[in-house]
């Protein structure tokens, strides 16, 4: 069993990041044992830098990069969090641009 920390990072409550993240992680069944940390209300650059410090501390503590699942909307805030020592996946980044193009 592989043990990892999953960080759900959001500019709101974090419920969307948690729900989507758990749906993705369920595809790996018992192969993964995950500790989860929700980091809600990250809407400013100052808060983003604080989250990066927390994520980097988790990476140091665990000896493994955490997995960050993000629903951050602000490009600048997302860019800061993307710099953390983590595997970063952004749900909106992956989906919004194609949907925006389709809807015009």
């Amino acid at each position: 069993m592989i043990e990892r920390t999953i960080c759900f990072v959001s500019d709101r409550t974090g419920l969307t990041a948690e729900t989507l993240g758990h749906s993705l992680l369920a595809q790996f069944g018992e192969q993964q044992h995950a500790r989860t940390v929700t980091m809600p209300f990250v809407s400013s650059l100052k808060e983003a830098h604080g989250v990066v410090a927390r994520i980097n501390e988790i990476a140091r503590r665990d000896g493994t990069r955490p997995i960050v699942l993000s629903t951050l909307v602000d490009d600048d805030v997302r860019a800061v969090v993307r710099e953390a020592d983590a595997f970063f996946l952004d749900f909106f980044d992956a989906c919004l641009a194609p949907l925006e193009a389709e809807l015009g």
Side-chain angles (χ1 to χ4, degrees):
M1 205 182 316
I2 301 168
E3 192 164 312
R4 298 288 289 267
T5 298
I6 312 298
C7 301
F8 302 112
V9 182
S10 175
D11 51 9
R12 304 298 298 162
T13 63
L15 293 175
T16 300
E18 289 175 350
T19 300
L20 293 170
H22 285 295
S23 294
L24 284 177
L25 294 170
Q27 305 308 308
F28 298 94
E30 296 300 317
Q31 296 173 13
Q32 295 282 334
H33 176 69
R35 288 180 300 278
T36 60
V37 178
T38 302
M39 301 177 183
F41 303 110
V42 181
S43 56
S44 71
L45 294 177
K46 181 179 179 181
E47 292 163 337
H49 286 289
V51 162
V52 169
R54 285 181 65 194
I55 293 168
N56 290 345
E57 178 56 34
I58 291 168
R60 279 190 292 278
R61 179 196 70 207
D62 292 354
T64 304
R65 291 189 314 163
I67 297 170
V68 173
L69 300 173
S70 165
T71 55
L72 296 168
V73 174
D74 185 280
D75 291 336
D76 295 331
V77 171
R78 188 171 51 247
V80 169
V81 176
R82 190 181 299 276
E83 295 301 314
D85 183 16
F87 178 72
F88 183 90
L89 290 174
D90 183 77
F91 290 110
F92 290 162
D93 193 33
C95 299
L96 279 183
L99 184 58
E100 211 171 39
E102 179 64 24
L103 296 176

